[in-house]
Amino acid sequence: EEAAIGGHPRARHSLGCNEVGLAFQEDSDSILNRAVKHWIIAAKLGDDDSIVRLKEGFKDGFVSKEEFASALRGHQAAVDATKSPQREEAEKLVPP
């Protein structure tokens, strides 16, 4: 939880996953909404798995079109912000 508050995307994603488990145990929409918020934050920090979860949630109807679109835009901005010529050069050195 402290890592998530500190801005660690994977920790935020994990909190969302934990919330989903609670939501299904307690049958609570408010807990599920909290999970979605965690995934949106993580996605906007560049976490790919959160985008996958949000996409699933959108297909299942518990993530709105606006929430998903906003998360996608934020995710792309975060990914673009981490691009650099040095990273691209380093990726060429690593075999697929």
Side-chain angles (χ1 to χ4, degrees):
E1 196 170 318
E2 288 180 35
I5 291 169
H8 193 278
R10 289 302 301 168
R12 186 64 75 163
H13 173 82
S14 295
L15 277 178
C17 293
N18 291 340
E19 295 286 356
V20 166
L22 290 173
F24 288 120
Q25 288 174 1
E26 299 178 18
D27 194 28
S28 172
D29 286 341
S30 66
I31 296 174
L32 190 57
N33 288 335
R34 261 196 331 249
V36 169
K37 288 179 184 177
H38 285 302
W39 289 332
I40 289 171
I41 293 167
K44 288 181 177 183
L45 292 171
D47 185 68
D48 296 331
D49 291 333
S50 293
I51 286 292
V52 171
R53 294 286 183 158
L54 290 167
K55 182 178 180 181
E56 292 169 357
F58 177 66
K59 287 180 181 177
D60 292 342
F62 63 86
V63 174
S64 72
K65 182 177 182 178
E66 294 78 21
E67 288 172 322
F68 187 51
S70 173
L72 279 174
R73 285 190 300 273
H75 180 267
Q76 189 60 52
V79 169
D80 289 346
T82 62
K83 289 185 179 178
S84 71
Q86 293 87 0
R87 283 181 190 245
E88 290 173 11
E89 194 61 36
E91 286 176 1
K92 291 178 187 175
L93 300 174
V94 178

